[in-house]
Structures are given as structure tokens and as C-alpha cells.
């Protein structure tokens, strides 16, 4: 099946630990995105990448880091510097970043709980 | 900041048409209108998008006013599985999708 795979679906970590969320796509899309969603809220953009080996900060990048070494993979690391990391994290991809007439496709999300 | 305004919630009877409004009075000529929906605890699902003409696909219809300042997403025969949060997004060239709080649609039996 083609699509975006996020793993794991649920993740628990102790406070102060770094944690890496996986996002893989086999759609041959150039652009990939990470969003964060808090209960009852809309999505907020953390980081995005329009092409391999390049990425840009979104609206709430502090406390997060990413890499884009391969076209199909865009892992997100939630560092200990992120003050409130418990949230629902969503990864998305689109054929080209920034284009007008291109929809984005989303994974099923990872729910991170820090205790 | 989101460029759209949507009602926070709506109800619709099962089997009836659900008409979800969106105001985007500051839209510019080359911006598209996108609609997504998010069922509880899942990733957003793309529904439809358009520029100025009305659009229809297997999921929904999108009606954009002639002045492009507002649009309506129509689900022709709503089912309980259409209960979700619906997001209306206006997208500029070079920018990413910005999701506001959306409209929580409840389809009632």
C-alpha cells in the first residue's frame, strides 16, 4: 500500500529523555511536514522539508529537531528542551512543497505522553 | 494565522446534506481553498480543493462564491462516519497548510 507510516502509534517517555518519532512515505513526495496537535486545538507546524537534505523551522520548532537524509524518511526528535512535549504528532507529505495546487497527505499520528 | 473563519460546531441529521460554511474574505486571486477532515485521534484526511469553479468528487462538493470570499463544503448524504472536525484552509504559494480550529460536525441518528 502507498502512504505515510508513523510509528509507534503510542509512545511513553520519562521526562528529560529525548525521543524520536518515525515518519516514512512511499509516495515519492518531495515535501514532508511535522505538525503538533494539542487537545481541542488545530494543527501547528513544527518543521518542514521541501527536498532531501534541506528543512525549515515552522511556527513552534523550539525543542524539536529533524533530519532529511532520505526522500522517504523525515524523523522528528523531541528533545528534553521541549517544555511540554505531551501531544499528538502528525506527519504529512506532498508532491512539492509550497505549490498551490497540491494536497498534503497525513499519517495516522503518534500520541506521545511524557511522564 | 489562519485566513478562514468557520463555525465551531454544527449538527446534521443522518441521511441529510451537511453544508459547512467557510469565510475567507481576504483571499487573493491565486489562493486555493482546501478542505480536510479529522476523525477523532486520526490524521487529517484530504477531501477536496478548488480555485474558483465549483468542484465535486466522490466525497463532497465544494461551492465557491463568485467573489471567492466564502465557500461551502457539501456532504450530500451525511452518515454517522462523517462525524469529524472539518478544516477549511486557504493556501498561498510558498506557504504551508495552516490549520485553524475547524468546525466540529456531529451527525445525529
Amino acid at each position: 500500500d502507498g502512504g505515510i507510516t508513523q510509528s509507534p502509534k503510542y509512545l511513553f517517555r520519562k521526562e528529560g529523555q529525548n525521543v524520536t518519532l518515525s515518519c516514512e512515505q512511499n509516495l515519492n513526495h518531495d515535501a514532508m511536514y511535522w505538525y503538533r496537535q494539542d487537545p481541542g486545538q488545530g494543527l501547528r507546524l513544527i518543521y518542514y522539508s521541501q527536498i532531501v537534505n534541506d528543512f525549515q523551522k515552522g511556527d513552534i520548532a523550539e525543542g524539536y529537531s529533524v533530519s532529511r537524509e532520505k526522500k522517504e524518511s523525515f524523523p522528528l526528535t523531541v528533545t528534553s528542551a521541549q517544555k511540554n512535549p505531551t501531544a499528538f504528532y502528525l506527519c504529512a507529505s506532498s508532491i512539492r512543497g509550497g505549490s498551490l495546487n497540491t494536497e498534503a497527505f497525513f499519517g495516522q499520528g503518534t500520541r506521545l505522553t511524557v511522564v | 494565522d489562519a485566513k478562514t473563519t468557520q463555525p465551531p460546531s454544527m449538527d446534521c441529521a443522518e441521511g441529510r446534506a451537511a453544508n459547512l460554511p467557510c469565510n475567507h474574505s481576504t483571499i487573493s486571486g491565486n489562493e486555493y481553498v482546501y478542505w480536510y477532515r479529522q476523525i477523532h485521534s486520526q490524521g487529517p484526511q484530504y477531501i477536496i480543493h478548488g480555485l474558483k469553479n465549483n468542484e465535486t468528487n466522490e466525497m463532497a462538493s465544494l461551492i465557491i462564491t463568485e467573489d471567492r470570499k466564502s465557500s461551502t463544503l457539501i456532504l450530500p448524504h451525511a452518515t454517522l462516519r462523517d462525524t469529524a472536525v472539518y478544516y477549511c484552509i486557504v493556501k498561498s504559494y510558498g506557504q504551508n497548510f495552516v490549520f485553524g480550529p475547524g468546525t466540529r460536525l456531529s451527525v445525529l441518528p
Side-chain angles (χ1 to χ4, degrees):
Chain A
D1 283 351
I4 301 174
T5 301
Q6 290 187 243
S7 60
K9 189 172 177 63
Y10 299 96
L11 190 56
F12 296 87
R13 278 295 182 270
K14 290 185 177 179
E15 193 172 344
Q17 289 182 334
N18 290 356
V19 60
T20 297
L21 281 60
S22 169
C23 179
E24 304 278 331
Q25 55 98 359
N26 60 4
L27 301 168
N28 200 32
H29 285 175
D30 284 328
M32 297 186 74
Y33 313 82
W34 275 105
Y35 290 85
R36 168 185 172 134
Q37 187 174 35
D38 293 289
Q41 306 295 315
L43 282 66
R44 291 185 290 168
L45 184 64
I46 305 173
Y47 267 99
Y48 62 100
S49 168
Q50 297 191 352
I51 198 167
V52 175
N53 292 321
D54 182 62
F55 50 82
Q56 306 294 330
K57 292 182 179 180
D59 300 320
I60 55 165
E62 186 175 351
Y64 299 97
S65 66
V66 293
S67 63
R68 186 83 187 279
E69 297 176 0
K70 298 186 295 182
K71 188 175 186 178
E72 58 271 21
S73 178
F74 191 41
L76 173 75
T77 296
V78 184
T79 75
S80 57
Q82 168 50 235
K83 291 181 172 53
N84 187 17
T86 294
F88 189 44
Y89 290 88
L90 288 154
C91 179
S93 71
S94 63
I95 293 176
R96 290 174 300 278
S99 297
L100 280 173
N101 190 20
T102 305
E103 62 266 37
F105 297 90
F106 284 80
Q108 289 305 297
T110 293
R111 190 167 299 279
L112 173 65
T113 302
V114 175
V115 297
Chain B
D1 291 331
K3 303 177 184 178
T4 62
T5 303
Q6 299 178 254
S9 63
M10 292 182 64
D11 292 339
C12 176
E14 188 178 17
R16 304 296 296 268
N19 297 283
L20 292 95
C22 180
N23 182 289
H24 32 79
S25 58
T26 61
I27 193 170
S28 63
N30 64 348
E31 290 180 317
Y32 279 74
V33 179
Y34 285 78
W35 283 84
Y36 281 79
R37 73 180 182 183
Q38 186 177 24
I39 296 170
H40 183 62
S41 295
Q42 296 184 21
Q45 177 189 21
Y46 165 79
I47 302 173
I48 199 167
H49 73 282
L51 182 62
K52 54 184 178 180
N53 296 324
N54 297 339
E55 301 287 344
T56 296
N57 63 19
E58 64 278 5
M59 289 183 67
S61 294
L62 174 60
I63 308 299
I64 303 175
T65 58
E66 191 169 341
D67 63 7
R68 301 186 72 238
K69 292 185 177 181
S70 66
S71 60
T72 301
L73 178 75
I74 301 173
L75 307 178
H77 304 287
T79 71
L80 299 178
R81 286 179 291 185
D82 292 321
T83 292
V85 177
Y86 286 77
Y87 300 99
C88 171
I89 300 166
V90 166
K91 188 172 182 299
S92 305
Y93 180 79
Q95 293 189 347
N96 299 300
F97 289 93
V98 177
F99 288 77
T103 295
R104 184 172 299 278
L105 175 69
S106 297
V107 180
L108 307 175

